Amino acid sequence: NAKGIREFWFQYPEAFGVYDVYLYYPASASFDSKVPVTVAHGRGNSLHYVDQTVTQANGAFLGRYAFLNGATVVVKNAGTTKTVIADAVKFVNNVLSSDRVLHCGQVIGTQ
């Protein structure tokens, strides 16, 4: 593909604890509908596919993760055929209650 392989890296080296992670981008019909986004967290990496043709006013929710030594989110254009864009990543600290457990880096359980 003529556009080459590119990555956007967002790092939050001070992240320690549980955070909700959101990806912000302007949506457009000319953008790709299956953008690979990887969240590196305390238990490894989680891959998401984001549809950048759809507006997400509050950001695309990527999940709730436990971070032990910083956080990294990588947006790639590998495997895409249209434009890929990334504006910002938001990390929202989330204090766990006792009824949630960690499983493979993602927090699951009742609220």
Side-chain angles (χ1 to χ4, degrees):
N1 138 357
K3 68 181 181 176
I5 301 298
R6 300 284 185 250
E7 298 178 345
F8 300 93
W9 284 67
F10 298 91
Q11 295 181 307
Y12 180 25
E14 296 84 14
F16 181 85
V18 177
Y19 291 81
D20 290 341
V21 181
Y22 299 86
L23 175 67
Y24 287 84
Y25 56 89
S28 170
S30 66
F31 294 163
D32 207 90
S33 62
K34 194 173 179 184
V35 176
V37 179
T38 302
V39 179
H41 49 79
R43 297 282 182 163
N45 297 319
S46 294
L47 177 63
H48 301 270
Y49 291 95
V50 175
D51 183 351
Q52 292 193 336
T53 66
V54 177
T55 300
Q56 301 282 344
N58 295 318
F61 180 64
L62 299 177
R64 180 171 290 164
Y65 297 97
F67 297 101
L68 304 176
N69 192 20
T72 301
V73 175
V74 182
V75 180
K76 300 179 182 182
N77 73 346
T80 62
T81 58
K82 294 184 176 182
T83 300
V84 172
I85 192 162
D87 188 28
V89 171
K90 181 178 180 181
F91 296 92
V92 179
N93 194 300
N94 191 307
V95 179
L96 288 175
S97 64
S98 61
D99 60 352
R100 295 188 179 146
V101 296
L102 291 178
H103 177 72
C104 296
Q106 273 194 300
V107 179
I108 58 174
T110 59
Q111 299 231 359

